[in-house]
Amino acid sequence: MPEFVVTALLAPSRLSLKLLRALVMSLVYLAAVVAAFVYSCIALTNVLCHPRRGCCGRPRLTAPACLRDPTLGEHCFLTLRSSGLRLHYVSAGRGNGPLMLFLHGFPENWFSWRYQLREFQSCFHVVAVDLRGYGPSDAPKDVDCYTRDLLLVDIKDIILGLGYSKCILVSHDWGAVLAWDFSIYFPSLVERMVVVSGPPSSVFQEYSIRHIGQLFRSNYMFLFQLPWLPETLLSLSDFQILKEIYTHRKTGIPCLTPCELEAFLYHFSQPGGLTGPINYYRNLFRNFPLEPQELSTPTLLLWGEKDYTLQQGLVEAIGSRFVPGRLESHILPGSGHWIPQTHAQEMHQYMWAFLQDLLD
């Protein structure tokens, strides 16, 4: 069939897709304006209630001691082959077994895996990385440096750069979003996955369209589509909105010490420290609509019964995409979004049982 005929036949579909994307982006930016108003009110209220903190975030001059805890591992840097970026990671247990690679979420860093680094270093080479844009890792300024494709290649380069041909991939939140896609596009590099509180992008997209309540829970995503304003609002009153995320009585991380809180705030408080992480969200709608993908990597999925960010219905939606027999899922009673830090012992028990045959 001549090329011009094929082009003519596909033209209506391409036009429809462009119109759909334009409509979606219009709705996204409308939601962004609404979210900006709501979060501006919250941020200004924080400034008025805590005038001594000032309007802007206070840069931390010294890293908190818990970030230098030697029991968690050795601090290293790896130069990625594809991009040349230098990523920071903490490593322990080299030579003790297979590579166990940890991918954190937002607003976190490698330190969110502190309990798992201690627990598994006796039988695995555990590595918790600061993803690009986070912490001491390189943080390109351009939004286009945080596309899904580039982030997935980062993970590939980390595994190969550490001298391994495959790994056990453990992930949470944004790290989980990346891990799902990585298992699809680089399946030979993933032996097992442990996913905590994070759905595949295509599942989240389809579920949110059918369950409007999930979009309300994820309202911050729309705010993060805007330039500079999200960084400004999060830093007002010495990062009060971020502090509330970590320490909220119902949805935060119980028993978080002041030093541990500073371990998360330290790098975000540095000039430009919030831009890289927020740029992940600014690329969320770049490839809408996403095609459904079949999931086949053997996976342990852990979800919080009281997760304020993600609805439980997503667990069933994820299961519907899996090859039968490849997914083991558990909803942890009483737990919220921060399972690796709030319910570490339960998480470890499930992980040891899931990985036991690899150790045998």
Side-chain angles (χ1 to χ4, degrees):
M1 186 178 293
E3 185 177 349
F4 76 90
V5 175
V6 175
T7 302
L9 291 174
L10 292 177
S13 297
R14 290 173 176 170
L15 178 60
S16 298
L17 184 59
K18 288 182 179 180
L19 291 174
L20 175 61
R21 287 176 174 169
L23 174 62
V24 168
M25 292 311 300
S26 298
L27 295 174
V28 165
Y29 283 109
L30 176 61
V33 171
V34 175
F37 174 77
V38 173
Y39 279 93
S40 295
C41 292
I42 295 172
L44 292 175
T45 300
N46 289 333
V47 171
L48 294 174
C49 292
H50 307 281
R52 293 185 179 181
R53 295 179 183 172
C55 289
C56 300
R58 171 179 57 85
R60 275 64 175 163
L61 302 179
T62 305
C66 53
L67 283 179
R68 303 188 298 272
D69 185 346
T71 67
L72 298 177
E74 178 185 4
H75 291 257
C76 310
F77 283 87
L78 176 68
T79 300
L80 303 182
R81 179 179 179 181
S82 301
S83 65
L85 296 178
R86 292 175 75 246
L87 297 192
H88 168 257
Y89 67 94
V90 174
S91 168
R94 177 177 285 277
N96 290 347
L99 172 64
M100 182 180 285
L101 180 63
F102 296 92
L103 306 178
H104 63 79
F106 175 86
E108 299 177 278
N109 55 35
W110 73 267
F111 186 70
S112 60
W113 299 110
R114 57 196 178 280
Y115 298 111
Q116 290 71 41
L117 288 171
R118 292 193 184 101
E119 178 74 15
F120 293 100
Q121 62 181 266
S122 62
C123 295
F124 298 91
H125 178 199
V126 291
V127 172
V129 64
D130 275 322
L131 296 168
R132 72 160 67 187
Y134 283 84
S137 292
D138 284 348
K141 295 181 180 180
D142 196 335
V143 174
D144 290 338
C145 291
Y146 296 86
T147 62
R148 191 70 51 82
D149 290 344
L150 293 177
L151 297 172
L152 296 183
V153 172
D154 283 357
I155 301 171
K156 181 196 73 171
D157 286 348
I158 292 168
I159 296 168
L160 300 180
L162 291 171
Y164 293 86
S165 60
K166 58 185 176 181
C167 74
I168 298 157
L169 199 55
V170 185
S171 59
H172 175 249
D173 190 77
W174 245 108
V177 174
L178 297 177
W180 288 117
D181 281 349
F182 189 78
S183 71
I184 294 169
Y185 294 106
F186 299 96
S188 64
L189 296 180
V190 186
E191 187 167 15
R192 299 279 178 89
M193 285 212 304
V194 178
V195 176
V196 186
S197 305
S201 298
S202 59
V203 173
F204 182 81
Q205 173 187 282
E206 182 179 333
Y207 182 88
S208 298
I209 292 172
R210 297 179 178 180
H211 301 82
I212 195 69
Q214 178 58 59
L215 289 177
F216 282 103
R217 292 195 186 198
S218 305
N219 57 76
Y220 57 89
M221 291 193 319
F222 301 109
L223 170 68
F224 289 172
Q225 302 308 306
L226 301 175
W228 65 263
L229 182 62
E231 290 92 325
T232 301
L233 295 179
L234 292 184
S235 64
L236 287 178
S237 191
D238 197 30
F239 304 97
Q240 182 58 33
I241 289 180
L242 282 181
K243 290 178 181 177
E244 190 73 8
I245 293 174
Y246 301 123
T247 62
H248 190 277
R249 184 174 60 86
K250 292 184 178 180
T251 60
I253 305 171
C255 303
L256 195 70
T257 68
C259 184
E260 290 171 337
L261 175 60
E262 287 299 311
F264 292 117
L265 293 176
Y266 172 70
H267 291 292
F268 290 135
S269 76
Q270 307 308 310
L274 284 166
T275 299
I278 293 176
N279 279 342
Y280 282 60
Y281 290 91
R282 291 177 175 134
N283 281 284
L284 263 181
F285 300 96
R286 179 184 289 259
N287 298 317
F288 181 91
L290 297 170
E291 290 292 328
Q293 300 281 359
E294 184 178 64
L295 305 169
S296 60
T297 300
T299 301
L300 170 65
L301 176 64
L302 301 178
W303 211 268
E305 178 192 27
K306 297 182 178 180
D307 193 320
Y308 70 97
T309 303
L310 300 166
Q311 293 182 346
Q312 280 189 43
L314 281 162
V315 176
E316 183 179 351
I318 294 169
S320 68
R321 296 283 180 83
F322 253 92
V323 171
R326 298 293 182 89
L327 176 67
E328 176 186 335
S329 61
H330 301 277
I331 296 177
L332 276 57
S335 63
H337 187 68
W338 313 101
I339 289 173
Q341 300 180 68
T342 62
H343 290 70
Q345 290 187 355
E346 292 176 64
M347 176 178 174
H348 297 165
Q349 290 173 1
Y350 283 120
M351 286 181 64
W352 281 119
F354 180 66
L355 301 172
Q356 187 58 51
D357 62 306
L358 298 182
L359 299 175
D360 294 340

PDB file of all heavy atoms in Angstrom, residues 117-130:
ATOM      1  N   LEU A 117      18.590  -1.592  54.989  1.00  0.00           N
ATOM      2  CA  LEU A 117      20.039  -1.712  54.813  1.00  0.00           C
ATOM      3  C   LEU A 117      20.654  -2.534  55.945  1.00  0.00           C
ATOM      4  O   LEU A 117      21.528  -3.377  55.712  1.00  0.00           O
ATOM      5  CB  LEU A 117      20.683  -0.322  54.757  1.00  0.00           C
ATOM      6  CG  LEU A 117      20.435   0.499  53.490  1.00  0.00           C
ATOM      7  CD1 LEU A 117      20.940   1.924  53.665  1.00  0.00           C
ATOM      8  CD2 LEU A 117      21.107  -0.156  52.286  1.00  0.00           C
ATOM      9  N   ARG A 118      20.182  -2.285  57.151  1.00  0.00           N
ATOM     10  CA  ARG A 118      20.698  -3.052  58.295  1.00  0.00           C
ATOM     11  C   ARG A 118      20.220  -4.509  58.245  1.00  0.00           C
ATOM     12  O   ARG A 118      20.972  -5.422  58.553  1.00  0.00           O
ATOM     13  CB  ARG A 118      20.251  -2.410  59.610  1.00  0.00           C
ATOM     14  CG  ARG A 118      20.869  -1.060  59.909  1.00  0.00           C
ATOM     15  CD  ARG A 118      20.608  -0.667  61.362  1.00  0.00           C
ATOM     16  NE  ARG A 118      21.105   0.666  61.663  1.00  0.00           N
ATOM     17  CZ  ARG A 118      20.327   1.746  61.735  1.00  0.00           C
ATOM     18  NH1 ARG A 118      19.020   1.646  61.535  1.00  0.00           N
ATOM     19  NH2 ARG A 118      20.843   2.931  62.021  1.00  0.00           N
ATOM     20  N   GLU A 119      18.978  -4.721  57.850  1.00  0.00           N
ATOM     21  CA  GLU A 119      18.365  -6.046  57.917  1.00  0.00           C
ATOM     22  C   GLU A 119      18.955  -7.027  56.912  1.00  0.00           C
ATOM     23  O   GLU A 119      19.169  -8.207  57.238  1.00  0.00           O
ATOM     24  CB  GLU A 119      16.853  -5.918  57.679  1.00  0.00           C
ATOM     25  CG  GLU A 119      16.090  -7.228  57.673  1.00  0.00           C
ATOM     26  CD  GLU A 119      15.915  -7.845  59.045  1.00  0.00           C
ATOM     27  OE1 GLU A 119      16.138  -7.131  60.056  1.00  0.00           O
ATOM     28  OE2 GLU A 119      15.542  -9.035  59.113  1.00  0.00           O
ATOM     29  N   PHE A 120      19.239  -6.578  55.701  1.00  0.00           N
ATOM     30  CA  PHE A 120      19.544  -7.518  54.619  1.00  0.00           C
ATOM     31  C   PHE A 120      21.019  -7.553  54.216  1.00  0.00           C
ATOM     32  O   PHE A 120      21.384  -8.338  53.334  1.00  0.00           O
ATOM     33  CB  PHE A 120      18.669  -7.201  53.406  1.00  0.00           C
ATOM     34  CG  PHE A 120      17.212  -7.459  53.644  1.00  0.00           C
ATOM     35  CD1 PHE A 120      16.349  -6.419  53.947  1.00  0.00           C
ATOM     36  CD2 PHE A 120      16.697  -8.745  53.603  1.00  0.00           C
ATOM     37  CE1 PHE A 120      14.999  -6.653  54.182  1.00  0.00           C
ATOM     38  CE2 PHE A 120      15.358  -9.000  53.837  1.00  0.00           C
ATOM     39  CZ  PHE A 120      14.503  -7.954  54.127  1.00  0.00           C
ATOM     40  N   GLN A 121      21.857  -6.746  54.838  1.00  0.00           N
ATOM     41  CA  GLN A 121      23.254  -6.714  54.408  1.00  0.00           C
ATOM     42  C   GLN A 121      24.012  -7.993  54.748  1.00  0.00           C
ATOM     43  O   GLN A 121      25.077  -8.253  54.181  1.00  0.00           O
ATOM     44  CB  GLN A 121      23.984  -5.505  55.010  1.00  0.00           C
ATOM     45  CG  GLN A 121      24.074  -5.482  56.502  1.00  0.00           C
ATOM     46  CD  GLN A 121      24.798  -4.237  57.004  1.00  0.00           C
ATOM     47  OE1 GLN A 121      25.996  -4.253  57.237  1.00  0.00           O
ATOM     48  NE2 GLN A 121      24.043  -3.137  57.132  1.00  0.00           N
ATOM     49  N   SER A 122      23.461  -8.834  55.632  1.00  0.00           N
ATOM     50  CA  SER A 122      24.138 -10.083  55.981  1.00  0.00           C
ATOM     51  C   SER A 122      24.058 -11.119  54.865  1.00  0.00           C
ATOM     52  O   SER A 122      24.910 -12.010  54.782  1.00  0.00           O
ATOM     53  CB  SER A 122      23.546 -10.667  57.270  1.00  0.00           C
ATOM     54  OG  SER A 122      22.166 -10.970  57.095  1.00  0.00           O
ATOM     55  N   CYS A 123      23.035 -11.018  53.995  1.00  0.00           N
ATOM     56  CA  CYS A 123      22.830 -12.029  52.952  1.00  0.00           C
ATOM     57  C   CYS A 123      22.805 -11.445  51.539  1.00  0.00           C
ATOM     58  O   CYS A 123      22.733 -12.205  50.566  1.00  0.00           O
ATOM     59  CB  CYS A 123      21.530 -12.786  53.196  1.00  0.00           C
ATOM     60  SG  CYS A 123      21.510 -13.766  54.709  1.00  0.00           S
ATOM     61  N   PHE A 124      22.837 -10.130  51.429  1.00  0.00           N
ATOM     62  CA  PHE A 124      22.771  -9.489  50.113  1.00  0.00           C
ATOM     63  C   PHE A 124      23.756  -8.325  50.063  1.00  0.00           C
ATOM     64  O   PHE A 124      24.167  -7.797  51.103  1.00  0.00           O
ATOM     65  CB  PHE A 124      21.364  -8.954  49.839  1.00  0.00           C
ATOM     66  CG  PHE A 124      20.295 -10.003  49.797  1.00  0.00           C
ATOM     67  CD1 PHE A 124      19.599 -10.351  50.948  1.00  0.00           C
ATOM     68  CD2 PHE A 124      19.975 -10.653  48.614  1.00  0.00           C
ATOM     69  CE1 PHE A 124      18.599 -11.324  50.922  1.00  0.00           C
ATOM     70  CE2 PHE A 124      18.981 -11.616  48.573  1.00  0.00           C
ATOM     71  CZ  PHE A 124      18.301 -11.960  49.719  1.00  0.00           C
ATOM     72  N   HIS A 125      24.115  -7.951  48.855  1.00  0.00           N
ATOM     73  CA  HIS A 125      24.812  -6.681  48.668  1.00  0.00           C
ATOM     74  C   HIS A 125      23.735  -5.611  48.521  1.00  0.00           C
ATOM     75  O   HIS A 125      23.092  -5.500  47.474  1.00  0.00           O
ATOM     76  CB  HIS A 125      25.704  -6.717  47.433  1.00  0.00           C
ATOM     77  CG  HIS A 125      26.396  -5.420  47.162  1.00  0.00           C
ATOM     78  ND1 HIS A 125      26.928  -5.096  45.927  1.00  0.00           N
ATOM     79  CD2 HIS A 125      26.663  -4.353  47.965  1.00  0.00           C
ATOM     80  CE1 HIS A 125      27.475  -3.906  45.972  1.00  0.00           C
ATOM     81  NE2 HIS A 125      27.315  -3.422  47.208  1.00  0.00           N
ATOM     82  N   VAL A 126      23.490  -4.856  49.573  1.00  0.00           N
ATOM     83  CA  VAL A 126      22.409  -3.867  49.591  1.00  0.00           C
ATOM     84  C   VAL A 126      22.937  -2.511  49.140  1.00  0.00           C
ATOM     85  O   VAL A 126      23.988  -2.055  49.592  1.00  0.00           O
ATOM     86  CB  VAL A 126      21.758  -3.767  50.992  1.00  0.00           C
ATOM     87  CG1 VAL A 126      20.995  -5.038  51.316  1.00  0.00           C
ATOM     88  CG2 VAL A 126      22.796  -3.495  52.072  1.00  0.00           C
ATOM     89  N   VAL A 127      22.193  -1.879  48.256  1.00  0.00           N
ATOM     90  CA  VAL A 127      22.585  -0.575  47.717  1.00  0.00           C
ATOM     91  C   VAL A 127      21.352   0.319  47.671  1.00  0.00           C
ATOM     92  O   VAL A 127      20.358  -0.017  46.996  1.00  0.00           O
ATOM     93  CB  VAL A 127      23.192  -0.702  46.306  1.00  0.00           C
ATOM     94  CG1 VAL A 127      23.415   0.682  45.701  1.00  0.00           C
ATOM     95  CG2 VAL A 127      24.493  -1.482  46.346  1.00  0.00           C
ATOM     96  N   ALA A 128      21.391   1.428  48.380  1.00  0.00           N
ATOM     97  CA  ALA A 128      20.317   2.425  48.359  1.00  0.00           C
ATOM     98  C   ALA A 128      20.842   3.657  47.635  1.00  0.00           C
ATOM     99  O   ALA A 128      21.806   4.286  48.086  1.00  0.00           O
ATOM    100  CB  ALA A 128      19.874   2.774  49.774  1.00  0.00           C
ATOM    101  N   VAL A 129      20.220   3.977  46.527  1.00  0.00           N
ATOM    102  CA  VAL A 129      20.717   5.039  45.663  1.00  0.00           C
ATOM    103  C   VAL A 129      19.907   6.313  45.859  1.00  0.00           C
ATOM    104  O   VAL A 129      18.718   6.272  46.182  1.00  0.00           O
ATOM    105  CB  VAL A 129      20.669   4.581  44.187  1.00  0.00           C
ATOM    106  CG1 VAL A 129      19.227   4.350  43.746  1.00  0.00           C
ATOM    107  CG2 VAL A 129      21.352   5.579  43.272  1.00  0.00           C
ATOM    108  N   ASP A 130      20.557   7.462  45.695  1.00  0.00           N
ATOM    109  CA  ASP A 130      19.856   8.735  45.532  1.00  0.00           C
ATOM    110  C   ASP A 130      19.625   8.923  44.043  1.00  0.00           C
ATOM    111  O   ASP A 130      20.581   9.103  43.272  1.00  0.00           O
ATOM    112  CB  ASP A 130      20.689   9.900  46.081  1.00  0.00           C
ATOM    113  CG  ASP A 130      20.523  10.104  47.566  1.00  0.00           C
ATOM    114  OD1 ASP A 130      19.399   9.947  48.059  1.00  0.00           O
ATOM    115  OD2 ASP A 130      21.525  10.420  48.245  1.00  0.00           O
TER     116      ASP A 130
END
